[in-house]
Amino acid sequence: QKFWYGAPGLGLPPLESTSILNDESGTGELYLGQVPNGLTLIDNFLLARVKHPVGDDNLSYGLLALNGAGVASTFNCAIGIRSLIAISTGNRNTAVGWQSGGSLNSDDNTAVGYNALRGIAGESNTAVGSNALSIATDRQNVAVGANSLSILGAGRANTALGTDAGILMTGGFNNITIGYQSGTSIITSNDNIAIGAQAMNGGTNPYNGIGIGTSANGNSGNDNIAIGRDALAAGNFHNAIAIGLNSMVSGAFGDIAIGTSAINVRSDGDNIGIGAFSLNALTSPGATHNIALGYQALTNAASPIGSRNVAIGYQAIHAIPSNDSIALGSNVTIQRDNEFRISDLIQNVNLGVGFAGQAAAGTKVFNDNTDAIAVGGLVAGDLYVVGGTGAPPAPPGSAAVLAVVY
């Protein structure tokens, strides 16, 4: 039988009463809402319908919900106009929302929201949010958030959480995007992880990338890792690692940047900057294979950095161009190529180098900028290193001195 619930003022029975019509179809349908004179069903007047369709343990609520379910379709629940309308053999599906799961005929799908999971998707998809996974044709995808994975077609095993997460993805496998507009660089690529608002946003189809942080890893290359806001925010190169705020904003192949604004202007590849602002003003073409460790190490604010340099310490090799040089210590300044320098100032450096390893902690180094290198000490005590051509001063007590001058 059919049960019509009318409303006062429409010429229909009031809500507290019921008009019953004979229903020869035997479908047992319950209609709620406005019905025109003569009790002829017109969709435009219908507000809702409850139907117990054929098949075991199916339930629908809404116009044409579960309309095509057959005897082989079981354990389905459809709530909303046209929800699960195409189901004929699918099982264990749940759809809530207008046209949610509208073209599904597979198993174990969940769709919640307007137009969610509307396409002819395979099994085991979950879509929560308006238009989430709305045209998906494959399986094992999860989309939570309005428009998340909304144009994904033949992609599989992708996960998107957040409004517009993965909104440009049309294919691809095993991608994870979490955050508002995260993963919009991913089109058909695989194995990416984007966590944070607009993480991995702005590049073009990278593979095997990781971006964690707001706007992290906007690079178009493959096999890159970026952690921190705006880390590795742009570019088109591969095999780079950037950790820290604004690190490697513009890097190159094989670079490693760890620290705020490390390597953040340019690079020609295979440079390593560890420390805030390390290697952050590379400007010369071909600057490669440099290693900087320390705050502003190899920052080079005044002139181009060369290649194959090692700088360890605060502002080591800060402003002098060179190649193949090594600087150890705070504010060490290299004057030429192929130079090795330890400290420009008189200071304790604790070399711990000497005959039988007996050079004492607290060893003093004197450097007059003429590039002396001194190693050794015959007994424990102060080790003096003096640059230049003059004779070294006599050490206190019986401490020995070995000086090499060039």
Side-chain angles (χ1 to χ4, degrees), residues 86-104:
I87 282 283
S88 60
T89 60
N91 303 291
R92 300 175 300 278
N93 296 287
T94 300
V96 179
W98 188 85
Q99 281 200 150
S100 57
S103 298
L104 286 176

Side-chain angles (χ1 to χ4, degrees), residues 49-285:
R49 178 182 67 179
V50 175
K51 178 182 178 182
H52 299 282
V54 295
D56 294 333
D57 299 300
N58 293 304
L59 174 65
S60 67
Y61 180 93
L63 177 63
L64 300 179
L66 264 178
N67 194 64
V71 294
S73 181
T74 61
F75 304 105
N76 297 291
C77 179
I79 300 175
I81 294 174
R82 303 181 68 87
S83 59
L84 291 181
I85 189 175
I87 282 283
S88 60
T89 60
N91 303 291
R92 300 175 300 278
N93 296 287
T94 300
V96 179
W98 188 85
Q99 281 200 150
S100 57
S103 298
L104 286 176
N105 194 27
S106 53
D107 301 331
D108 303 304
N109 295 287
T110 301
V112 179
Y114 167 85
N115 227 21
L117 205 58
R118 183 184 176 184
I120 53 173
E123 69 274 4
S124 304
N125 294 286
T126 300
V128 179
S130 179
N131 290 314
L133 277 173
S134 59
I135 64 170
T137 60
D138 217 318
R139 60 186 185 270
Q140 299 164 346
N141 296 290
V142 176
V144 179
N147 304 315
S148 55
L149 295 180
S150 60
I151 63 172
L152 180 70
R156 182 183 306 169
N158 297 290
T159 300
L161 278 71
T163 299
D164 295 340
I167 192 173
L168 300 181
M169 197 184 307
T170 60
F173 303 90
N174 308 316
N175 296 293
I176 298 174
T177 68
I178 300 175
Y180 168 71
Q181 290 187 347
S182 58
T184 58
S185 296
I186 305 167
I187 310 300
T188 58
S189 55
N190 308 324
D191 303 303
N192 295 289
I193 298 174
I195 301 176
Q198 297 184 329
M200 295 196 75
N201 182 348
T204 304
N205 217 31
Y207 283 76
N208 309 312
I210 297 175
I212 300 176
T214 299
S215 300
N217 198 356
N219 193 282
S220 296
N222 304 327
D223 305 299
N224 295 305
I225 298 173
I227 301 175
R229 179 172 179 174
D230 293 317
L232 198 59
N236 185 15
F237 48 87
H238 312 302
N239 306 308
I241 299 174
I243 300 176
L245 173 68
N246 290 322
S247 57
M248 208 183 298
V249 170
S250 181
F253 292 83
D255 283 343
I256 299 175
I258 301 176
T260 298
S261 297
I263 315 184
N264 78 340
V265 176
R266 66 158 292 156
S267 172
D268 286 296
D270 299 312
N271 292 295
I272 299 174
I274 301 176
F277 303 100
S278 58
L279 273 171
N280 83 331
L282 285 174
T283 58
S284 57

